[in-house]
């Protein structure tokens, strides 16, 4: 197997940086009004496990819909990307979707997954390296929402970025534009970029997907408080907060919040925070796009939209971009 250690900072350094980042973001986010904590902190080991469980729920349409689209368009992606490509995945999680591309591409040379959850990333990479013995697998533990250094990419090869799952929807459209511009620099001249982007649709479908009947999304959201308690010495009582979903129609986004069920005081890393009943901590935005709005955003960030695909109900879309 060809599983290589990260070419940038050792995993321990990345995790220490993520820990400091978490502490600063939580203290600042709880002091702010409205209160908000960036969604990337939902993904500790338990959060990553709960998110994987979400992706298998009947109520959560994005994953199976995207997999169906990718299965259908993989041969065309393989044709557009050509042989011997180097794949770079942003926020790879458990690295299941990449297998569809790896199976369709002609002799992919290397796979560089970037993920904030180190343990989860390494486990996924060991399994991939076992299943694809000819592939060089080079995991990078890090936060792709910040500029991060990748191991040098082999510029003689075609570079194919992969950002599935509509994770781009966690950014505001402005941040998404900045991310796309940064990715153009990271991936380099001539690179291709395949992204999954969730689409605007009727509110009842969105509500079911983000407040599922089995309560897995609620557990995923509440796990953030458990993480704060464990890693930052927090005193959150999980029974006194509830998962809350808002479909913000004006901004085309699903919002996830944690709502305080009582007047209460919570302490985190030695600082006290008073909550009124009904007050919320905003924990995630999940923006939904219209097709032309997304291709326009990509174009403004320096990418040429070469193709896109959707499912029959136009729930979800997959985009193929190219930079000059
Ligand atoms: C991983 C950001 C794409 O927004 O659908 C799932 C995260 N949050 N259920 C999404 C999520 C609640 C997911 N993304």
């Amino acid at each position: 197997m060809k599983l290589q250690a990260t070419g940038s900072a050792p995993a321990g350094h990345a995790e220490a940086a993520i820990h400091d980042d978490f502490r600063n973001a939580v203290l600042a986010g709880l002091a702010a009004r409205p209160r908000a904590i960036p969604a990337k902190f939902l993904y500790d080991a338990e959060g990553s496990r709960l998110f994987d469980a979400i992706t298998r729920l009947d109520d959560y349409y994005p994953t199976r819909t995207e997999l169906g689209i990718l299965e259908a368009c993989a041969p065309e992606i393989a044709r557009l990307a050509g042989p011997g490509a180097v794949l770079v995945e942003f926020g790879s999680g458990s690295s299941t979707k990449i297998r569809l591309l790896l199976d369709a591409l002609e002799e992919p040379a290397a796979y560089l997954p970037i993920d904030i959850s180190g343990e989860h990333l390494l486990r996924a990479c060991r399994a991939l390296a076992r299943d694809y013995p000819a592939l060089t697998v080079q995991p990078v533990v890090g936060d792709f929402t910040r500029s991060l250094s990748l191991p040098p990419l082999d510029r003689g090869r075609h570079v194919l970025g992969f950002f599935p799952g509509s994770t781009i929807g966690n950014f505001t459209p402005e941040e998404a534009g900045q991310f796309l511009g940064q990715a153009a620099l990271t991936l380099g001249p001539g690179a291709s970029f395949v992204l999954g982007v969730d689409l605007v649709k009727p509110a009842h479908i969105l509500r079911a997907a983000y407040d599922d009947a089995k309560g897995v999304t609620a557990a995923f959201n509440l796990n953030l408080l458990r993480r704060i308690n464990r890693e930052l010495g927090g005193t959150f009582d999980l029974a006194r907060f509830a998962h809350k979903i808002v479909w913000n129609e004006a901004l085309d986004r699903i919002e996830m919040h944690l709502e305080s069920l009582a007047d209460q005081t919570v302490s985190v890393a030695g600082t006290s925070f008073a909550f009124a009943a009904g007050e919320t901590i905003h924990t995630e935005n999940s923006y939904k796009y219209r097709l032309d709005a997304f291709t326009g955003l990509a174009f403004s960030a320096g990418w040429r939209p070469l193709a896109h695909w959707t499912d029959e109900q136009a729930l979800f879309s997959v985009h193929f971009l190219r930079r000059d």
Side-chain angles (χ1 to χ4, degrees), residues 87-102:
L87 279 84
V88 178
E89 182 169 3
F90 299 88
S92 51
S94 51
S95 293
T96 45
K97 292 166 190 165
I98 196 71
R99 288 168 183 260
L100 282 176
L101 293 191
L102 290 172

Side-chain angles (χ1 to χ4, degrees), residues 39 42-43 51 54-55 60-62 164-170 198 209-212 217 220-221 243 245 254 256 284-288 316:
L42 293 164
Y43 300 89
F51 178 68
I54 289 173
T55 65
Y60 191 73
Y61 65 86
S166 202
T167 305
I168 197 164
N170 278 169
D198 200 9
Y210 289 87
D211 196 3
D212 66 275
T217 311
F220 171 65
N221 196 7
H243 172 62
I245 284 304
I254 279 277
M256 208 162 72
E284 183 177 56
N285 286 318
S286 190
Y287 280 84
K288 308 305 171 190
F316 201 92

Side-chain angles (χ1 to χ4, degrees), residues 11-80:
H13 280 229
E15 301 217 298
I18 289 164
H19 182 269
D20 285 352
D21 201 18
F22 182 46
R23 184 177 182 283
N24 295 337
V26 168
L27 292 175
L30 293 178
R33 294 294 183 281
R35 293 181 149 128
I37 296 172
K40 63 189 177 188
F41 297 116
L42 293 164
Y43 300 89
D44 63 347
E46 177 66 0
S48 298
R49 193 192 65 75
L50 286 165
F51 178 68
D52 278 352
I54 289 173
T55 65
R56 292 188 291 268
L57 294 170
D58 286 344
D59 281 336
Y60 191 73
Y61 65 86
T63 308
R64 65 169 176 278
T65 309
E66 183 181 42
L67 282 169
I69 299 168
L70 279 172
E71 234 165 90
C73 70
E76 211 172 333
I77 290 176
R79 190 182 54 75
L80 287 165

